[in-house]
Amino acid sequence: MTGGHGVVVAVVGPTATGKSDLALDLAERLSLPGAPAEIVNADAYQLYRGMDVGTAKVAVDERRGVRHHLLDVIDPVEDASVARYQTEARRVLDEIAARGARAVVVGGSGLYVRALLDDMRFPGTDPEVRAALEARAESEGTRALHDELARRDPAAAASIGPANTRRVVRALEVMELTGEPFTANLPRQVYVRPTVQVGLDCDRDVLDARVAGRVERMWAQGLVDEVRRVEARGMGRTARRAVGYAEVLAALHGETTEDAAREAVTANTRRLARKQMGWFGRDPRVHWLDAQSPTRVEDALALVARADERADAVARGEVSGPDEADSAAPVRRSLGS
């Protein structure tokens, strides 16, 4: 197996564009004898056990025999942590690579995708350090702490206003804990391993119709009963905020009607899709494909092949820059932009 076959394939984009289906198609086509491709979930809410219908989780009998990772790994009563996800998901990628298999990441949670693929750190916290800094801000004033930040990390001070006590304190706390400038811990758009991102998008009217159809199917598949069951077992703050669950919970608690909740789920899912498009649309490394295109699978495979060739060339020392497999190529403007 050549070095390029270790390139991670990430299928990203707005909800209801068919990312899961494309990921399955790619996993089947990218499998090798004795090393079938494996799918890694990057949807924050699909991490939760029992939250299936409302998250459009692919049912076990519809996974085509493809191994899936990081589905149903935490209980809804827990709050999902992107830092914890990063640790677990990167371990999974290492294990897939050790098996000589291809990893296909799929999800619409932009922060989780970046945490997995990019150079993103999550410095811890120290209650004593933070309390001491907050006490100083109270006694000396935030301006004094901002002046200290300007001396120690001018770039961070330039990006954080002198009146923003919370961010100034956090910046100094991170510097105290890591011994590095705060800016050294900021996320960078640099892959931690060779990756190609394939984005799915479609015309806004088409996407709105897809969302409406998905919500109708969720109701038919028993979303209301699912939310009732999940709440009975306990739901934390994060799970309660999920689109589809928050609205149904309001109806179950008598705060609105079920019909109004269904309309709200549709509207909020459309809003979520636009937010996701804004997030992924800012990443110039994403190669956009039309979700309705009959050649989307072949087009995605061509992108993967090109990324493999580039990664092989990097491994041979013929070219430099592991990210250039994506960023050097022309990026198609998304249909929703």
Side-chain angles (χ1 to χ4, degrees), residues 197-203 277 280-296 299-300 303 306 326-337:
Q197 290 188 81
V198 179
L200 280 183
D201 193 21
C202 60
D203 176 82
M277 191 61 245
F280 291 111
R282 289 192 293 272
D283 191 337
R285 300 167 299 173
V286 178
H287 297 266
W288 292 101
L289 301 178
D290 186 347
Q292 293 186 288
S293 171
T295 63
R296 62 188 178 281
D299 293 342
L303 290 169
R306 189 171 66 193
D326 268 357
S327 58
V331 178
R332 171 177 173 170
R333 182 176 177 84
S334 106
L335 297 173
S337 59

Side-chain angles (χ1 to χ4, degrees), residues 253-276:
H253 295 166
E255 299 166 11
T256 186
T257 66
E258 185 174 320
D259 286 342
R262 186 186 316 202
E263 293 177 4
V265 172
T266 302
N268 290 335
T269 303
R270 288 171 175 166
R271 190 173 297 113
L272 171 63
R274 283 157 174 73
K275 181 179 179 181
Q276 291 170 316

Side-chain angles (χ1 to χ4, degrees), residues 169-181:
V169 165
R170 177 56 179 162
L172 291 172
E173 178 191 21
V174 168
M175 294 169 67
E176 184 70 23
L177 296 177
T178 65
E180 298 177 321

